[in-house]
Amino acid sequence: MRALFQIFTVIYHKKVRRIYLEKILVCVIILTIISELCACKKKVSNSQNKIKFPQIAQEMHGTVPFEFALGNQKNELGKEIGLYKIKPRRTIKNSEYYDGYLFKLFCGNIIRSTEYKQYTRYTCGDGDTLEIYNSGSFIFSHNRDCTEVINIPDEQVVELAEEYLKNNDLLPNGFTIGKSLGGTYDENGKPLMKSVCFCREIGGYEVYGRSDITVEVDAQGIDAIYSIYSDYEFERNIRCLSYNELIDIDPLKEGQIVYDATKLNAEVSKIIIKEFKIMYYDSPINQPELSYIQPVYQFKGVAVDSEGNGTDYYWTISAIAY
């Protein structure tokens, strides 16, 4: 009887040990999966492709003192904000319908098409051109010279442009009319063409980069349309850089700086940042590899040279806290 009990005890302990080991193995597998998911999420966060801001200001060399005078605005740094996944406006599934609608609207008589890396250019019988980008942005332009002065008041130009876009389903939600009109002028300063920009907001924040709809109007009517922007969907909230993280960044090596060097007579001796705003960055033609519409910080201040001359200074960087 005792021997049977000993045998039973051994079998029982082996069974318990096996169950225990199985549980440990299951826990290890679960922890591995969780770890991989976390790593994957981190990879997604780091694969948003660093923004390559175009550098349009004179490069600064050496070390320039950089002072933040943001006051209470510092407390607005480090907040959580939405991250948006870019969705192509034009896909393999809808490309035939998408292109067909634009052909019908702009370029019914196509005589030639030329494929490039990012887009295809269609030339119409009258010389008008339509460029359709792989992601869905497009540019249409009439083949005519703007030599006649346009006498239409600015208000009517805006109304004409807005009405045309709305009537042809080319003005989605989130776009508002810009505060000023651009254009081209003759040697006497008379307007030959006026351009209306419909700027964009996402989540209540302005969009930085080339993400807008611009309509050019001449004396004959609508002359060109630039529809350059990305569709998107909300993915998740992410944390932005805090003040303490921000001051560790070298402002002369990261992001984009913009200032008017012609207003300075000597080397920049210091930069004072006085305010900032949160914006989103989207530029589907200039940087088509971006996967996300992501938040950026745009700081504004003054650059001062050694003689005391100053000029407005802008510094724009990605706001994501990796």
Side-chain angles (χ1 to χ4, degrees):
M1 188 71 176
R2 182 181 177 86
L4 288 173
F5 179 76
Q6 288 177 338
I7 293 172
F8 173 78
T9 303
V10 170
I11 294 173
Y12 173 78
H13 281 297
K14 285 184 176 179
K15 186 175 182 180
V16 170
R17 189 181 300 116
R18 188 182 68 187
I19 294 172
Y20 180 70
L21 290 173
E22 287 176 351
K23 287 184 177 180
I24 291 177
L25 182 59
V26 170
C27 290
V28 169
I29 292 172
I30 292 173
L31 288 172
T32 302
I33 292 173
I34 293 173
S35 177
E36 288 296 323
L37 287 173
C38 291
C40 181
K41 187 174 181 180
K42 187 174 182 181
K43 287 178 183 177
V44 169
S45 178
N46 289 327
S47 68
Q48 282 139 19
N49 306 335
K50 189 174 181 180
I51 297 173
K52 299 172 184 176
F53 294 104
Q55 298 302 330
I56 54 179
Q58 179 177 320
E59 186 178 357
M60 293 185 183
H61 301 282
T63 301
V64 179
F66 211 86
E67 177 186 340
F68 287 94
L70 296 173
N72 293 332
Q73 251 200 317
K74 284 196 302 183
N75 301 326
E76 298 178 28
L77 295 164
K79 65 165 60 176
E80 285 200 347
I81 192 172
L83 178 69
Y84 295 90
K85 179 76 173 177
I86 290 176
K87 293 173 55 181
R89 296 162 56 187
R90 179 180 180 272
T91 64
I92 295 176
K93 289 184 177 180
N94 76 351
S95 60
E96 185 175 349
Y97 172 81
Y98 190 92
D99 295 354
Y101 181 77
L102 295 179
F103 294 154
K104 182 179 179 181
L105 189 60
F106 297 118
C107 198
N109 180 27
I110 299 173
I111 61 172
R112 184 172 61 256
S113 65
T114 308
E115 292 188 9
Y116 297 90
K117 184 177 180 180
Q118 290 189 47
Y119 66 94
T120 301
R121 174 181 292 159
Y122 300 93
T123 303
C124 308
D126 52 8
D128 294 348
T129 57
L130 173 64
E131 296 175 356
I132 303 178
Y133 284 75
N134 300 334
S135 61
S137 292
F138 68 85
I139 300 172
F140 169 75
S141 180
H142 277 296
N143 178 36
R144 63 192 188 209
D145 294 327
C146 300
T147 57
E148 184 181 348
V149 174
I150 177 171
N151 294 314
I152 306 173
D154 289 351
E155 295 79 10
Q156 290 185 23
V157 171
V158 171
E159 290 176 3
L160 178 64
E162 185 174 20
E163 182 180 12
Y164 183 87
L165 294 177
K166 287 183 176 179
N167 288 344
N168 292 288
D169 295 324
L170 298 177
L171 187 62
N173 294 331
F175 288 84
T176 57
I177 300 171
K179 296 179 180 178
S180 59
L181 275 65
T184 57
Y185 302 85
D186 64 12
E187 63 276 8
N188 299 315
K190 299 291 185 179
L192 302 176
M193 182 273 295
K194 295 183 179 182
S195 61
V196 183
C197 180
F198 295 83
C199 305
R200 196 178 192 191
E201 286 189 358
I202 296 177
Y205 297 97
E206 296 177 54
V207 177
Y208 190 63
R210 184 66 199 269
S211 183
D212 58 69
I213 302 170
T214 299
V215 180
E216 294 182 350
V217 180
D218 62 12
Q220 300 179 58
I222 303 295
D223 181 56
I225 294 178
Y226 301 77
S227 180
I228 303 171
Y229 64 89
S230 301
D231 278 345
Y232 61 88
E233 61 183 1
F234 174 81
E235 181 163 287
R236 66 179 185 273
N237 285 323
I238 54 170
R239 185 178 67 82
C240 293
L241 291 166
S242 66
Y243 177 74
N244 290 333
E245 292 169 319
L246 180 68
I247 59 179
D248 289 335
I249 298 174
D250 187 338
L252 301 185
K253 294 181 180 180
E254 291 289 333
Q256 177 195 66
I257 59 174
V258 178
Y259 69 100
D260 188 354
T262 63
K263 294 184 178 179
L264 303 176
N265 297 327
E267 291 291 324
V268 176
S269 61
K270 64 179 177 180
I271 297 168
I272 304 172
I273 297 298
K274 300 180 179 180
E275 58 185 89
F276 87 99
K277 60 182 175 180
I278 300 174
M279 308 178 78
Y280 277 105
Y281 185 85
D282 179 41
S283 199
I285 287 183
N286 298 329
Q287 205 171 349
E289 71 275 13
L290 287 179
S291 303
Y292 293 88
I293 295 179
Q294 53 184 291
V296 297
Y297 285 149
Q298 185 173 90
F299 297 90
K300 180 183 178 181
V302 58
V304 183
D305 67 15
S306 56
E307 297 180 6
N309 303 299
T311 184
D312 287 340
Y313 181 93
Y314 296 88
W315 179 43
T316 307
I317 60 168
S318 172
I320 297 178
Y322 291 109

